[in-house]
Each structure stands twice: as structure tokens, then as C-alpha cells.
Amino acid sequence: MKLKLNMDEMAEDFFEDTRLLGIVAPIKSYQFCWQLNHLFRLNFRINPDVEIPLTRKGRLYYFAVFEYREPNSSLCHYLYNNQNDGEYLLPEFKHLDFLWLMKGDVVGDATLHNVINSIKAINAVQLVTELTNEKIKNKGHLIF
């Protein structure tokens, strides 16, 4: 008997109660994290345990994921690099540099709107947009 992993079901579970932002900011990830940490008083840190490996054109690419867990809350923030050496974590969003996933607790519209407006105030940021689940073709690439 063979067991088959249901990726659609897994993606649905993973993305339950999440909000995802796409960000265009052509700067290094550590610089962007520093800006976010400073602006929001967060503590994004790279987490090698949730780095995303993808094989493309016979080569393995690793996409860094930065993580911040809010104290006294189940809300966790993940900042993904969308690009690595000409390859993309989400190829359907090649114009995006970063993806910010908020997961583990409900993030209301007002809070999300405030986060978006604050990110837009960072000099290097050119665009911030919410990505809805329906728009993402390669959801499985974000699951760790």
C-alpha cells in the first residue's frame, strides 16, 4: 500500500489563519530585516531550520526564511527571500523581493493595513501588497 501526501490539504492547513504580504524592496535581506526590526520593534532572525530548498534546472537553491515569534502570543512572523541567484520561490511573483507571512493567530484588517502603511514608509520599499491564497500557484514552496 502506498500513501500519498495530499499537498492541497497540507497547504490548506498551513495557510489557515494566515496573512501574506508581497514586498518589492531591492535591498539585501539582512538590511530589510534590520529596517523591519527597528520600525516595528521586532526581532527577525534567520532560521536555518526552515530554509526552503528547491531544485531548479538540476541545481539546488536555498531560500532564506527569517522568523520572529511574538512573546505571549501564538502569532509568528516569517519573512521569505523570494529570489536566489536568478531563481524564485514563487515564480508567479518574480517582481517581489520578499514575502511576509503572519501565521498562528488572527491578524485583523486594521492591523494589516497599519503594517502595510508602515512598511511603505521604508525608503527602499517600492510596493507592498496582500497576496490572497487564490493568487498563489506554488503554495507548497512556502511550507516548511
Side-chain angles (χ1 to χ4, degrees), residues 8 16 31-32 36 47 50 61 64 70 85 98 100 135:
D8 291 338
E16 193 174 338
Q31 293 171 317
F32 187 55
L36 293 175
N47 185 342
V50 294
Y61 292 86
E70 287 197 11
D85 202 20
F98 301 100
W100 183 345
K135 291 181 185 174

Side-chain angles (χ1 to χ4, degrees), residues 57-97:
K57 300 173 191 151
R59 182 176 157 204
L60 193 55
Y61 292 86
Y62 290 94
F63 294 86
V65 179
F66 296 79
E67 179 179 16
Y68 171 69
R69 294 184 177 276
E70 287 197 11
N72 308 318
S73 168
S74 54
L75 186 61
C76 198
H77 301 267
Y78 299 97
L79 187 73
Y80 299 78
N81 255 339
N82 191 41
Q83 300 180 29
N84 180 354
D85 202 20
E87 288 298 328
Y88 300 90
L89 185 61
L90 294 182
E92 64 269 32
F93 296 112
K94 288 182 177 170
H95 62 289
L96 298 176
D97 297 302

Side-chain angles (χ1 to χ4, degrees), residues 15-34:
F15 287 100
E16 193 174 338
D17 286 333
T18 62
R19 300 302 284 267
L20 182 65
L21 299 177
I23 302 164
V24 177
I27 59 174
K28 299 277 186 204
S29 54
Y30 67 87
Q31 293 171 317
F32 187 55
C33 279
W34 185 88

